[in-house]
């Protein structure tokens, strides 16, 4: 069947009850349905359940890989056999590539952390121009990477493309995610930003929650751009106010500061700082210059 699962479920008979439902972290799930153990997950899930992959399924997966595209393979199991393989595809958001390039233009280092397979992760990262991509990551791996304190184990192939150790240099780390597996990393980041997708855990773990509709990533980039400009504006106000106060002190010590000039300098500097602080009211959304995509 190819299409929407919700449409398929509308005409499907009532599903049987699942007993002993168990989630294998970042690998898959299994439960007992009508006396049989039924599971679904990745290749690592098969390994953890000691289930051999049939040659027919392996050949089909290789065929899909040769065809190209970004997809994730899910293996459906019954007892000790693979009963079905599913190819799940997801489209990139239309604003994803522009958002990544805009973030890089703002000086933000972008890395992709995912629990998906290496080939799918590399295909997405290459399209978006992300140089550091880490695949097959568990929630704990993501948290460790965000904290930047310990080694994150990578499979051999992906280890050739990314450093095994994320060395913390005291930079501010922002984590953007929407899944259950992103919860620990969202909580560990200096700034956790959750995308509202109907899941409560990421929203509870994050510091900021943004809507998932429309050009969500573009709004996120613009918010970051405005935050940087506001920080620069605050620095301007501080430098200006300090300079005026220092000049007034120097004139006062030398006996050249008269009362009228002192009052005018104090009130005038305050007025200029207030006027400068009102500038964000006139700011508008602009297209941030983008950096070229790095293959």
């Amino acid at each position: 069947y190819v299409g929407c699962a919700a449409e398929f479920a509308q005409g499907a008979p009532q599903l049987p009850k699942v007993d002993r439902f168990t989630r294998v972290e970042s690998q898959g799930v299994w439960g007992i349905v009508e006396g049989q153990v039924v599971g679904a997950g990745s290749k690592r899930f098969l390994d953890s359940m000691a289930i051999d992959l049939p040659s027919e399924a392996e050949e089909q997966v290789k065929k899909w890989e040769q065809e190209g595209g970004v997809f994730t393979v899910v293996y459906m199991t019954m007892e000790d056999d693979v009963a079905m393989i599913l190819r799940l595809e997801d489209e990139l958001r239309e604003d994803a590539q522009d958002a990544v390039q805009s973030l890089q233009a703002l000086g933000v280092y972008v890395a992709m952390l995912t629990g998906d397979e290496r080939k799918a992760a590399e295909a997405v990262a290459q399209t978006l121009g992300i140089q550091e991509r880490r695949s097959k990551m568990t929630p704990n791996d993501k948290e460790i990477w965000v904290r930047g304190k310990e080694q994150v184990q990578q499979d051999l192939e992906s280890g050739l493309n990314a450093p095994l150790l994320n060395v913390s240099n005291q930079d501010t780390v922002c984590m953007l995610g929407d899944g259950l597996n992103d919860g620990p990393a969202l909580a560990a980041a200096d700034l956790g930003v959750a995308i509202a997708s109907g899941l409560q855990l990421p929203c509870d773990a994050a510091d900021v929650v943004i809507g998932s509709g429309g050009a969500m990533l573009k709004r996120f980039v613009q918010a970051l751009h405005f935050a940087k400009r506001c920080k620069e504006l605050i620095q301007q106000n501080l430098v200006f106010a300090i300079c005026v106060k220092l000049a007034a002190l120097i004139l006062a010590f030398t006996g050249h500061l008269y009362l009228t000039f002192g009052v005018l300098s104090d009130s005038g500097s305050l007025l200029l700082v207030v006027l400068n602080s009102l500038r964000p009211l006139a700011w508008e959304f602009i297209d941030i210059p983008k950096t070229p995509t790095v293959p």
Side-chain angles (χ1 to χ4, degrees):
Y1 177 81
V2 178
C4 179
E7 295 177 357
F8 174 78
Q10 289 178 357
Q14 187 173 356
L15 298 177
K17 181 181 177 182
V18 179
D19 296 319
R20 295 181 59 186
F21 179 84
T22 304
R23 177 175 175 266
V24 183
E25 186 178 282
S26 300
Q27 297 182 12
V29 296
W30 66 270
I32 298 178
V33 180
E34 297 180 345
Q36 289 189 314
V37 179
V38 178
S42 63
K43 181 63 169 61
R44 287 181 295 165
F45 173 75
L46 298 183
D47 296 336
S48 66
M49 299 290 286
I51 299 177
D52 295 328
L53 181 63
S55 58
E56 298 87 345
E58 191 171 0
E59 291 175 0
Q60 182 61 52
V61 172
K62 290 182 179 179
K63 181 179 179 181
W64 286 341
E65 292 176 347
Q66 292 174 355
E67 294 174 355
V70 180
F71 62 91
T72 298
V73 178
V74 176
Y75 301 92
M76 304 293 298
T77 65
M78 295 186 67
E79 295 294 341
D80 296 331
D81 299 320
V82 175
M84 181 188 303
I85 55 174
L86 304 177
R87 170 175 171 164
L88 305 182
E89 297 186 13
D90 194 9
E91 295 182 354
L92 292 175
R93 297 183 66 97
E94 294 182 358
D95 56 342
Q97 187 170 9
D98 288 342
V100 170
Q101 293 178 12
S102 297
L103 287 172
Q104 292 171 341
L106 291 173
V108 177
Y109 180 78
V110 181
M112 185 178 74
L113 313 179
T114 177
D116 291 339
E117 296 296 323
R118 179 184 60 84
K119 291 186 178 180
E122 288 191 350
V124 172
Q126 186 172 7
T127 301
L128 298 180
I130 300 176
Q131 290 184 297
E132 182 170 356
R133 52 266 198 176
R134 293 173 178 267
S135 57
K136 299 182 179 180
M137 298 193 77
T138 65
N140 187 51
D141 290 338
K142 293 181 181 181
E143 181 183 2
I144 290 174
W145 190 96
V146 167
R147 294 185 184 278
K149 295 180 180 179
E150 300 181 33
Q151 184 171 337
V152 178
Q153 295 294 332
Q154 292 283 313
D155 60 276
L156 179 60
E157 293 179 293
S158 61
L160 297 175
N161 297 322
L164 288 178
L165 186 64
N166 176 41
V167 180
S168 176
N169 55 3
Q170 304 303 318
D171 287 338
T172 301
V173 178
C174 174
M175 174 70 184
L176 179 67
D178 64 348
L180 292 174
N181 292 341
D182 298 325
L186 287 170
D190 297 302
L191 175 62
V193 181
I195 304 172
S197 59
L199 299 176
Q200 190 62 33
L201 177 61
C203 297
D204 291 340
D207 302 296
V208 180
V209 179
I210 58 178
S212 59
M216 175 271 300
L217 294 178
K218 184 177 180 180
R219 296 199 305 271
F220 172 73
V221 174
Q222 291 290 354
L224 178 61
H225 180 53
F226 283 174
K228 283 179 171 288
R229 293 181 65 183
C230 286
K231 182 179 179 180
E232 294 173 356
L233 187 145
I234 293 172
Q235 292 172 342
Q236 293 172 6
N237 288 341
L238 288 175
V239 171
F240 176 74
I242 291 173
C243 290
V244 171
K245 298 298 182 182
L246 287 177
L249 286 175
I250 293 173
L251 291 175
F253 278 120
T254 58
H256 295 86
L257 180 64
Y258 300 100
L259 178 61
T260 303
F261 181 76
V263 173
L264 289 176
S265 64
D266 185 68
S267 301
S269 62
L270 177 61
L271 179 61
L272 290 176
V273 167
V274 172
L275 292 176
N276 192 40
S277 301
L278 294 176
R279 286 171 50 203
L281 296 177
W283 290 351
E284 297 179 354
F285 285 98
I286 60 174
D287 290 330
I288 302 171
K290 304 176 182 63
T291 57
T293 301
V294 180

